[in-house]
Amino acid sequence: MAQKKAEPKKQSAAKETKAPAKKKTASAAKKTTAKKTAAAVEKTAPVVEEAAPAVEKTAPVVEEVASVVEEAVPAVEETAAAVEKVAAVVEETAAVEEESAPVVEETPAPAEQAPSTPRRSVAFIGSECHPFVKTGGLGDVMYALPRELVKLNCDVRVILPRYACIPQKYQEKMVYRGEFYMDLGETGRNFYVGIMEYISDGVVYDFIDNQEFFSSGKPYTNLVDDIPKYCFFSKAALAALNYMNWIPDVIHCHDWQAGLVPVYLRTLFQDSPVGRARSIITIHNLRFQGIYNIPTIKYWSGLPDYVFNMGALKQNWEDANMFKGGLAYADRITTVSGTYAQEIQTAEYGEALEDHLRYHSGKLRGIVNGIDYDMWNPATDPALAENYWLGNVLDHKMANKLALQAELGLVQDESKFVVGLISRLTNQKGLDLVNAIIPHIMDGNTQVVVLGTGDKQYEDTFRYYEGAYSGMFSACIQYDESRAHRIYAGADALLVPSRFEPCGLTQLNAMHYGTLPIVRETGGLKDTVEPYNEFTGDGNGFTFDRYDAGLLLDAINRAKTVYFTNRYHWDEVVQRDMAKDVSWENSAKQYKNLYLELTQW
Ligand code: ADP
């Protein structure tokens, strides 16, 4: 009962602070937040004092927690009840949409609306997003999918940490949206939560500001820091939605960093306004799960004891797994390809969660990623030496190969077969296979270009090969977006021999640039690259199945044979790949359908 009384109080508090907040300029906001957070880092005690009024604000939340703890039941069991609840919530939600109208108006109306599909509001919560911060495919998806959903009549808000490493040009464009203080776990402290906003192409980006957690030069550091960071982020993201009084129909969480969001939603936040939202969690990579000992995660998250059971967060009896909890409590689970959705239910790919995923397989499905055609378009790509498109690729792609060879100090020769590899240099990406076969493919007619950073052993090996095969092997041990674009355009083929690959974007980028992928048949690679058929000439690239260096070598040799002896067929595949639809359009429709399925009214 206590929380029922508390709700209106909280909302009105949020509304009171909201109005003046909008008027503040970016620079003023910067000044305020910088000052406050700096103080928070340096002097803990005064901050607590400073936070005194805020403590009052957050008090109702504390009351809510106590009652919710008793009431909440794990999502697993409550599905049926939840479905009923949704119907009841329908009316309420409509009312809330009216209430939050001013906020909705802030979002520029999407240029093209598909009136046939009903409007839905979605909050994306995740740890990275191009162009602000990106370490891999998750950053691409967090950028492209919301933009596509806007075209499908969705209101999308993307909630991200405001890392210090976000480039200054974006920091400057952020507008102060408000601030509040939030308790966190058993710390006994109230933490500053600033909200900085940036709107682009109809998508609203809300950055959660707190320098104590987000001041590192990179998003991920080590688990000791990352566990508290993402406990704070997950809770702050939901609190921010309540604070802004923007209650989405669906909360779409991404990877372990947002793993606690569905758990918070059904426990501490169940009876707050945001508790009405349904939740989806997407697995972009199951390898990383946010596992730490139970006392630490309990301390930082403040989640009730009963979520630390074997059906939810608990794992191996003494550890808590943030991703596992999110999978248990989310209303739906998606992963980024149909094949990976099957694979993760097996011991080979399940990363010790295969039983848990099989148990929840009824709410699991695969939706393959796409690529953003504005970002990846060889006809307009400013990074390229020469632009080209489907109609003239056979005449103009070559100029990019020659330019790439010149840029990287390789022998400039049109007739060489150039193989690219653009990847995080980690064990997942099949680099031990690549290392094993390099000497076998360096035949004088083949050049290899590697772009990536990661494990030192791989970086060193590729540097060694660069020395050993001077003029024929280039090891670019760096993260360089525009060079990546030039490699996609200038190479003839791209290697993706991954041990596992949830979806993989590099093979999609490559195909779109007329560069043939050579991939292992796993996860999204299997779903997106149809093997070349030497009899019919059909297919998109070259594939091998078992994780075996000999099979990778065989696939590369088959590619070379077609390239050197059957250029007509090769060129046909180049054009077929460029014509293939690897855009987000189709996949975004599937996500939209999923949102509708979850929120039927
Ligand atoms: P993952 O998410 O496992 O790293 P994906 O294939 O899904 O792999 O996504 C990788 C993305 O990161 C692609 O857009 C790729 O072009 C980009 N990328 C990877 N390494 C680099 C690098 N060193 N420099 C520039 N872009 C890179």
Side-chain angles (χ1 to χ4, degrees):
M1 289 311 284
Q3 80 277 358
K4 288 244 160 73
K5 267 187 227 147
E7 274 173 29
K9 197 172 147 197
K10 248 193 325 174
Q11 285 183 21
S12 62
K15 273 179 190 161
E16 271 164 36
T17 41
K18 212 163 57 178
K22 273 188 212 161
K23 287 183 191 149
K24 288 193 190 174
T25 62
S27 60
K30 225 171 93 191
K31 231 162 102 190
T32 322
T33 53
K35 214 169 91 189
K36 290 219 170 144
T37 42
V41 176
E42 281 163 24
K43 332 176 264 181
T44 314
V47 171
V48 176
E49 276 167 38
E50 211 181 311
V55 175
E56 266 172 46
K57 259 196 237 170
T58 47
V61 178
V62 179
E63 282 170 36
E64 266 174 49
V65 176
S67 58
V68 170
V69 169
E70 280 160 25
E71 280 171 34
V73 189
V76 191
E77 290 161 29
E78 76 175 17
T79 318
V83 173
E84 277 173 37
K85 256 198 224 162
V86 175
V89 162
V90 176
E91 281 172 34
E92 266 179 72
T93 314
V96 169
E97 270 173 8
E98 269 175 42
E99 259 182 58
S100 53
V103 179
V104 175
E105 272 169 24
E106 267 183 28
T107 312
E112 274 174 56
Q113 282 196 2
S116 55
T117 165
R119 196 158 183 82
R120 289 293 183 272
S121 52
V122 190
F124 270 53
I125 303 181
S127 59
E128 56 181 270
C129 177
H130 172 87
F132 314 110
V133 56
K134 169 181 159 184
T135 69
L138 171 61
D140 289 314
V141 176
M142 293 283 289
Y143 166 76
L145 180 55
R147 290 157 59 94
E148 204 61 38
L149 286 168
V150 166
K151 296 182 200 159
L152 295 173
N153 206 15
C154 286
D155 263 340
V156 192
R157 223 167 243 273
V158 180
I159 305 189
L160 298 161
R162 186 195 181 188
Y163 302 111
C165 61
I166 294 173
Q168 193 56 27
K169 65 175 177 182
Y170 297 112
Q171 301 266 11
E172 280 164 9
K173 286 181 189 156
M174 294 176 190
V175 175
Y176 173 81
R177 184 76 161 75
E179 67 183 59
F180 57 94
Y181 282 78
M182 178 186 83
D183 62 339
L184 186 66
E186 297 159 13
T187 61
R189 288 176 57 195
N190 280 286
F191 289 82
Y192 173 81
V193 181
I195 307 172
M196 301 295 287
E197 198 161 280
Y198 172 69
I199 302 178
S200 170
D201 291 327
V203 179
V204 182
Y205 299 90
D206 283 315
F207 295 86
I208 301 295
D209 189 19
N210 179 299
Q211 289 197 358
E212 193 171 341
F213 288 111
F214 304 134
S215 61
S216 162
K218 47 187 181 171
Y220 316 122
T221 44
N222 53 65
L223 274 185
V224 175
D225 292 331
D226 289 351
I227 294 284
K229 184 192 299 178
Y230 293 111
C231 286
F232 167 80
F233 172 63
S234 297
K235 189 175 180 192
L238 291 177
L241 289 171
N242 275 341
Y243 172 83
M244 293 186 286
N245 195 19
W246 192 84
I247 308 304
D249 300 318
V250 176
I251 296 184
H252 191 159
C253 316
H254 299 265
D255 270 354
W256 79 265
Q257 294 88 350
L260 288 191
V261 172
V263 189
Y264 275 128
L265 197 64
R266 294 291 164 256
T267 53
L268 309 196
F269 287 82
Q270 173 69 68
D271 294 319
S272 75
V274 76
R276 282 194 291 268
R278 311 304 309 278
S279 67
I280 298 179
I281 190 158
T282 295
I283 303 169
H284 296 264
N285 192 334
L286 195 59
R287 173 147 292 182
F288 309 104
Q289 299 175 6
I291 304 173
Y292 218 77
N293 63 60
I294 291 174
T296 303
I297 293 190
K298 233 183 222 177
Y299 176 84
W300 284 105
S301 69
L303 284 164
D305 285 348
Y306 65 81
V307 307
F308 294 90
N309 67 48
M310 287 304 274
L313 270 93
K314 192 170 181 177
Q315 177 166 327
N316 298 336
W317 303 106
E318 54 189 30
D319 286 332
N321 180 330
M322 288 163 62
F323 212 172
K324 187 177 176 213
L327 298 170
Y329 276 86
D331 295 307
R332 290 285 188 284
I333 304 169
T334 69
T335 187
V336 288
S337 68
T339 296
Y340 194 59
Q342 296 304 316
E343 286 175 342
I344 55 179
Q345 297 179 53
T346 68
E348 189 181 349
Y349 296 93
E351 305 285 349
L353 287 186
E354 59 274 12
D355 293 344
H356 192 62
L357 285 159
R358 270 204 307 277
Y359 182 80
H360 289 288
S361 58
K363 59 179 188 182
L364 167 66
R365 78 173 67 164
I367 301 177
V368 79
N369 287 336
I371 60 172
D372 187 277
Y373 274 15
D374 293 331
M375 199 167 130
W376 299 102
N377 183 354
T380 55
D381 193 332
L384 304 195
E386 197 162 314
N387 290 114
Y388 59 94
W389 50 92
L390 182 57
N392 68 7
V393 54
L394 301 180
D395 299 326
H396 291 261
K397 193 172 183 322
M398 192 57 76
N400 288 290
K401 181 197 269 193
L402 292 171
L404 182 69
Q405 289 168 327
E407 176 182 339
L408 303 178
L410 296 174
V411 174
Q412 257 188 307
D413 183 345
E414 290 191 352
S415 67
K416 302 288 185 234
F417 180 65
V418 178
V419 186
L421 175 80
I422 300 174
S423 179
R424 287 184 292 118
L425 302 182
T426 67
N427 160 283
Q428 175 197 335
K429 299 293 181 176
L431 302 172
D432 46 347
L433 302 189
V434 177
N435 287 339
I437 55 116
I438 291 293
H440 302 282
I441 62 170
M442 302 309 289
D443 53 8
N445 291 314
T446 305
Q447 295 180 335
V448 176
V449 176
V450 175
L451 174 67
T453 56
D455 295 354
K456 191 167 181 306
Q457 67 176 107
Y458 298 124
E459 294 186 348
D460 289 346
T461 315
F462 288 129
R463 284 197 186 102
Y464 164 80
Y465 281 134
E466 183 174 68
Y469 300 102
S470 173
M472 300 301 275
F473 193 108
S474 170
C476 309
I477 307 303
Q478 58 185 170
Y479 189 92
D480 185 333
E481 297 257 356
S482 76
R483 179 163 283 176
H485 284 237
R486 288 192 290 281
I487 296 172
Y488 288 122
D492 295 298
L494 190 95
L495 284 187
V496 201
S498 307
R499 190 182 288 274
F500 70 94
E501 195 58 76
C503 177
L505 295 175
T506 60
Q507 83 281 8
L508 303 181
N509 295 338
M511 287 192 281
H512 200 53
Y513 278 58
T515 299
L516 273 46
I518 300 174
V519 307
R520 177 159 174 254
E521 290 166 17
T522 183
L525 299 171
K526 186 172 179 184
D527 294 354
T528 56
V529 181
E530 191 196 322
Y532 171 75
N533 181 323
E534 62 178 305
F535 302 107
T536 62
D538 289 345
N540 309 109
F542 299 85
T543 71
F544 63 103
D545 54 9
R546 269 183 302 109
Y547 191 78
D548 181 293
L551 295 183
L552 168 62
L553 180 59
D554 179 56
I556 296 173
N557 284 338
R558 276 184 279 127
K560 277 194 221 178
T561 304
V562 180
Y563 184 81
F564 288 117
T565 67
N566 193 347
R567 189 63 67 88
Y568 177 79
H569 265 187
W570 181 274
D571 288 344
E572 268 191 348
V573 185
V574 166
Q575 293 173 89
R576 182 177 309 128
D577 283 1
M578 285 192 76
K580 184 176 162 73
D581 182 1
V582 289
S583 73
W584 266 106
E585 199 181 324
N586 231 331
S587 311
K589 277 187 192 145
Q590 292 178 57
Y591 279 109
K592 177 69 190 283
N593 287 339
L594 185 59
Y595 301 153
L596 292 176
E597 206 179 290
L598 267 180
T599 56
Q600 286 170 10
W601 56 72

